[in-house]
Amino acid sequence: MVGYRRMRVPDGTFFFTVTLRDRRSALLTERIDDLRAAWRAARGRVPHDVIAAVVMPDHLHAVLRMRDGDGDYSRLWQDIKKGFTRRVCEPDARSPWQSRFWEHTVRCEFSLAACVDYVHINPIKHGRVTRVRDWPHSTFHRYVQRGDLPPDWGDPPIDTARLP
């Protein structure tokens, strides 16, 4: 067994990628309400703030600030995955999640901004939409509502060479 060690930073900020085993699945978006319910329940046990998040059909990205005093994000993801699995799978069924997740410690404001941008642009990167605002499962809409980003943020630039 690999002795993988994760960095714990009390009340730290982290960027995560969490994926399903079947990368062709659309389970996360098909059962988005179950994912939200599992996440809300986990938040009650492992306090954290969602800075940015996007849910894609087969994976999700999130930038989270831990508020649990010891940076136990592994417990958070365990709770979210377990809660979602219980809602969408038959008892004793294999978990739809990959067993691990990827994390990156956010150390400065520049890195934080880059991670948030990556989260919000992800639906375009994966060819799901051509405009960020058209993907419903993203905190991008919260950023627009608060006035932090314009509604056309991330839209493809106009190719002026093609204009008449």
Side-chain angles (χ1 to χ4, degrees), residues 126-141:
H126 287 281
R128 297 292 177 171
V129 293
T130 57
R131 300 178 309 178
V132 175
R133 66 178 169 257
D134 293 337
W135 188 253
H137 313 299
S138 172
T139 55
F140 170 74
H141 305 287

Side-chain angles (χ1 to χ4, degrees), residues 15-74:
F15 170 83
F16 298 96
T17 301
V18 185
T19 61
L20 294 178
R21 289 182 196 277
D22 180 0
R23 295 304 302 263
R24 297 164 300 175
S25 175
L27 188 62
L28 295 180
T29 51
E30 288 171 354
R31 302 292 296 267
I32 190 74
D33 290 336
D34 292 312
L35 179 60
R36 287 182 178 136
W39 201 321
R40 273 192 305 274
R43 181 179 291 164
R45 291 184 294 276
V46 184
H48 64 282
D49 297 328
V50 176
I51 296 171
V54 64
V55 177
M56 302 298 290
D58 63 337
H59 71 282
L60 63 86
H61 297 288
V63 179
L64 307 178
R65 183 165 294 125
M66 300 304 296
R67 297 287 187 209
D68 64 338
D70 65 0
D72 193 1
Y73 51 76
S74 291

Side-chain angles (χ1 to χ4, degrees), residues 28-123:
L28 295 180
T29 51
E30 288 171 354
R31 302 292 296 267
I32 190 74
D33 290 336
D34 292 312
L35 179 60
R36 287 182 178 136
W39 201 321
R40 273 192 305 274
R43 181 179 291 164
R45 291 184 294 276
V46 184
H48 64 282
D49 297 328
V50 176
I51 296 171
V54 64
V55 177
M56 302 298 290
D58 63 337
H59 71 282
L60 63 86
H61 297 288
V63 179
L64 307 178
R65 183 165 294 125
M66 300 304 296
R67 297 287 187 209
D68 64 338
D70 65 0
D72 193 1
Y73 51 76
S74 291
R75 180 174 173 228
L76 171 66
W77 287 114
Q78 179 184 27
D79 281 2
I80 292 170
K81 288 177 173 185
K82 197 183 310 182
F84 180 75
T85 300
R86 286 181 180 148
R87 286 170 171 80
V88 302
C89 294
E90 294 294 322
D92 299 323
R94 184 177 185 195
S95 171
W97 299 99
Q98 284 189 2
S99 58
R100 296 191 185 261
F101 57 86
W102 185 86
E103 94 280 346
H104 164 76
T105 304
V106 177
R107 300 174 192 272
C108 66
E109 290 300 316
F110 177 80
S111 178
L112 177 62
C115 290
V116 170
D117 287 352
Y118 181 86
V119 165
H120 290 155
I121 208 78
N122 205 253

